[in-house]
């Protein structure tokens, strides 16, 4: 029998366990921003570290100054370019549409008064007016979003103009046959023009003129952010150079001096260029656009007055005012002539030279002559002398038609002069901003490089 030693067994749960390893505390993780801030604090305890921070801040400031200047001035230059090349031409076209429509209505009434055989020159003038209005509407539609207010007015004009011309053709056809229905068609056409077409054209002109004003304001807005950054950048450059002088007793640091000079040039260019642009665009508005607006309204008032004067004879008292007491067309003529006189007074005050005031003075004299001849024509018509009144209205000599043409010619000269004034001043304003965005960006880049070179020159002294 084999001997077996007496082995005492120990339960598993009572056996000795090896000691657990000691737990080492893990330091809390810091964010990237905290780590960066710590490095900056550490670097700031030494002069080389402080210089590196200063160099980075200077470079960032001048680059930001150049970038913001380039962005803001590019935005203002674009607005100034819109003033010259888009909004003002569209405003002028809208005014031309209004004038063409009003002149077509006036000419149609004059041709009707002439009798069954409408004079060829009158017929041709009417056709030119309609073609010009149609051409300008096509041009305006091509440069205008159909969903805008201007787009809606253009659509209305395009839809309603054929209806007006259709009524005029019916009036002509009946007039050639000696049928009194021709006068009714002419009055319907005039109502279509007065109540639908001209109001739409006026709203189109107001919308385009409003957009011109917005573009002008945008181009003239001061670039306060750019100027503020420029002042801060220059202040920082001067502070760094003063600090450098106090620590090293050296008057100049070439790199920092170049950076300061470049930043100064940008700031002066910005201030002077934008001031000149503002001044020229203001002159374009005051001496050009405001005069154009008044003269356009004056010319339209004269055309409406002439149309109502003609229709007074065509209707022969058949159309009365709502109260039933007065001839409607004669009343409208009086209202239009009063508005014309007020517009001419304003135009005379706005004219800033003889070339602008001279035509306005001629228009005022012609209006006075027109009113005198109109009173003579009304006296003849009221006394039953229709043929004498008609000769006084559309006759080739000493007629109100002759006076009207003098008014229209004078206003056309004044408008051409004021248009030239506006275009010249607006182009000068746009030109004052030319090259500034690119120049500011290039000079800012030069300033940033120069500032870094200047700081590195100081750092080299610590190596």
């Amino acid at each position: 029998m084999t001997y077996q030693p007496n082995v005492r067994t120990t339960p598993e749960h009572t056996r000795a366990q090896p000691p657990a390893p000691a737990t080492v505390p893990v330091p809390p993780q810091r964010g990237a921003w905290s780590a960066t801030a710590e490095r900056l604090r550490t670097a700031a305890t030494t002069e080389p570290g402080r210089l590196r921070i200063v160099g980075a801040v200077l470079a960032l400031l001048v680059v930001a100054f150049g970038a913001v200047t380039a962005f803001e001035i590019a935005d203002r230059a674009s607005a100034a370019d819109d003033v010259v090349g888009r909004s003002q031409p569209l405003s002028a076209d809208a005014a031309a549409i209004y004038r063409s429509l009003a002149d077509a209505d006036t000419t149609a009434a004059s041709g009707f008064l002439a009798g069954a055989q409408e004079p060829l020159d009158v017929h041709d003038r009417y056709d030119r007016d309609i073609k010009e209005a149609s051409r300008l509407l096509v041009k305006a539609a091509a440069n205008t979003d159909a969903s805008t207010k201007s787009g809606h007015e253009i659509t209305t004009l395009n839809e309603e103009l054929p209806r007006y011309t259709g009524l005029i053709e019916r009036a002509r056809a009946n007039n050639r046959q000696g049928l009194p229905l021709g006068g009714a068609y002419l009055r319907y056409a005039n109502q279509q023009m007065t109540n639908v077409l001209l109001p739409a054209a006026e709203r189109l002109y107001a919308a385009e003129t409003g957009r011109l004003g917005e573009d002008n304001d945008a181009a003239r807005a001061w670039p306060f952010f750019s100027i503020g950054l420029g002042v801060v950048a220059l202040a920082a450059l001067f502070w760094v150079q003063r600090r450098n002088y106090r620590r090293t007793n050296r008057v100049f640091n070439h790199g920092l001096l170049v950076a300061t000079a470049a930043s100064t040039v940008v700031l002066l260019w910005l201030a002077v260029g934008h001031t000149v642009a503002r001044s020229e665009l203001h002159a374009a508005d005051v001496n050009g656009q405001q005069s154009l607006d008044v003269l356009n309204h004056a010319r339209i008032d004269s055309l409406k007055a002439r149309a109502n004067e003609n229709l007074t004879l065509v209707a022969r008292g058949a159309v009365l005012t709502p109260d039933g007491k007065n001839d409607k067309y004669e009343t409208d003529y009086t209202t239009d002539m009063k508005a014309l006189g007020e517009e001419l007074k304003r135009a005379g005050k706005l004219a800033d030279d003889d070339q602008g005031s001279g035509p306005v003075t001629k228009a005022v004299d012609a209006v006075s002559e027109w009113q005198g001849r109109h009173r003579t024509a009304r006296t003849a018509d009221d006394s039953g002398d229709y043929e004498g009144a008609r000769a006084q209205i559309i006759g080739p000599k000493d007629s109100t038609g002759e006076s009207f043409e003098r008014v229209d010619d004078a206003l056309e000269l004044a408008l051409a002069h004021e248009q030239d004034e506006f275009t010249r001043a607006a182009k000068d304003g746009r030109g004052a901003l030319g090259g500034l965005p690119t120049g500011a960006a290039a000079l800012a880049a030069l300033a940033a490089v120069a500032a870094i070179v200047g700081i590195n020159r100081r750092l080299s002294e610590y190596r």
Side-chain angles (χ1 to χ4, degrees):
M1 182 174 182
T2 305
Y3 172 77
Q4 298 290 335
N6 186 15
V7 179
R8 185 179 180 180
T9 60
T10 304
E12 287 291 327
H13 65 277
T14 61
R15 293 179 181 176
Q17 299 294 324
T23 302
V24 180
V26 179
Q29 295 294 321
R30 292 182 299 170
W33 175 254
S34 299
T36 302
E38 181 62 30
R39 286 196 296 270
L40 288 175
R41 283 194 294 268
T42 303
T45 60
T46 64
E47 181 61 15
R50 287 191 287 268
L51 285 174
R52 291 188 181 94
I53 295 172
V54 167
V57 171
L58 284 180
L60 181 62
L61 276 175
V62 294
V63 167
F65 172 41
V68 171
T69 299
F71 176 78
E72 286 194 324
I73 296 303
D75 182 66
R76 283 149 182 76
S78 177
D81 191 60
D82 286 341
V83 168
V84 176
R86 187 195 66 174
S87 51
Q88 204 283 327
L90 286 175
S91 174
D93 286 347
I97 290 170
Y98 199 135
R99 288 197 304 269
S100 295
L101 293 174
D103 191 65
D105 195 49
T106 300
T107 305
S110 297
F112 190 93
L113 273 180
Q117 297 299 320
E118 184 178 23
L120 181 60
D121 59 332
V122 175
H123 186 278
D124 290 344
R125 178 169 177 169
Y126 169 83
D127 284 345
R128 284 196 303 271
D129 286 333
I130 296 299
K131 289 178 181 177
E132 179 67 4
S134 300
R135 182 187 69 83
L136 291 174
L137 284 171
V138 171
K139 179 182 176 183
N143 291 281
T144 305
D145 187 348
S147 63
T148 62
K149 183 177 181 180
S150 294
H152 292 312
E153 302 303 342
I154 292 170
T155 300
T156 299
L157 289 166
N158 279 323
E159 291 175 350
E160 298 297 334
L161 184 56
R163 297 175 186 173
Y164 169 80
T165 56
L167 289 171
I168 290 296
E169 291 309 316
R170 291 183 183 182
R172 285 172 169 174
N174 282 275
N175 194 38
R176 283 194 293 268
Q177 300 175 49
L179 300 176
L181 193 59
Y185 276 118
L186 184 66
R187 292 195 299 273
Y188 295 153
N190 174 259
Q191 290 174 8
Q192 176 78 1
M193 178 65 73
T194 303
N195 298 331
V196 180
L197 287 167
L198 290 183
E202 186 172 12
R203 291 191 296 269
L204 175 61
Y205 174 70
E208 295 301 334
T209 302
R211 184 160 67 168
L212 170 61
E214 292 173 0
D215 288 339
N216 192 292
D217 291 342
R220 294 174 56 208
W222 276 106
F224 289 113
F225 197 22
S226 299
I227 293 174
L229 267 177
V231 171
V232 171
L234 280 176
L237 284 164
F238 280 117
W239 176 81
V240 171
Q241 290 178 88
R242 183 173 180 272
R243 178 181 182 277
N244 186 42
Y245 170 73
R246 293 181 65 180
R247 288 176 177 270
T248 65
N249 206 31
R250 294 171 183 167
V251 178
F252 297 121
N253 178 296
H254 293 155
L256 295 177
L257 192 63
V258 170
T260 303
S263 299
T264 302
V265 169
V266 174
L267 186 59
L268 290 176
W269 190 358
L270 170 64
V272 174
H274 195 267
T275 299
V276 172
R278 278 178 56 88
S279 176
E280 293 294 341
L281 290 170
H282 178 72
D285 179 52
V286 174
N287 300 329
Q289 183 56 34
Q290 290 185 21
S291 293
L292 284 170
D293 187 52
V294 172
L295 290 169
N296 278 321
H297 281 97
R299 197 174 186 191
I300 290 165
D301 287 334
S302 71
L303 289 165
K304 290 164 64 178
R306 178 60 178 168
N308 285 314
E309 182 179 53
N310 290 335
L311 287 167
T312 301
L313 283 184
V314 172
R316 299 187 182 186
V319 182
L320 301 177
T321 54
D323 59 12
K325 296 180 179 180
N326 300 301
D327 185 287
K328 176 186 182 301
Y329 296 117
E330 178 65 19
T331 301
D332 289 345
Y333 163 83
T334 302
T335 301
D336 293 332
M337 291 299 283
K338 181 179 179 181
L340 172 59
E342 292 174 353
E343 296 291 351
L344 288 176
K345 286 181 182 178
R346 290 183 59 198
K349 292 178 180 178
L350 288 171
D352 59 342
D353 56 19
D354 292 340
Q355 287 181 293
S357 61
V360 174
T361 301
K362 291 180 180 179
V364 171
D365 294 340
V367 165
S368 179
E369 178 187 72
W370 181 1
Q371 290 173 319
R373 291 175 175 177
H374 178 82
R375 286 191 293 269
T376 302
R378 294 308 312 144
T379 300
D381 189 37
D382 292 340
S383 64
D385 184 9
Y386 176 79
E387 291 300 325
R390 190 178 73 160
Q392 194 68 28
I393 297 295
I394 63 171
K397 188 176 181 181
D398 297 334
S399 65
T400 60
E402 187 180 36
S403 300
F404 161 73
E405 292 296 341
R406 290 177 182 171
V407 173
D408 196 60
D409 291 343
L411 291 175
E412 186 175 7
L413 284 175
L415 280 164
H417 171 71
E418 298 301 338
Q419 182 64 57
D420 289 342
E421 289 273 294
F422 176 90
T423 302
R424 181 168 57 253
K427 285 184 176 180
D428 288 344
R430 180 182 62 179
L433 300 176
L436 180 52
T438 303
L443 287 171
L446 172 64
V449 172
I452 293 172
V453 169
I455 294 298
N456 284 340
R457 181 62 182 268
R458 282 282 293 120
L459 284 171
S460 66
E461 299 172 2
Y462 290 89
R463 297 183 185 127

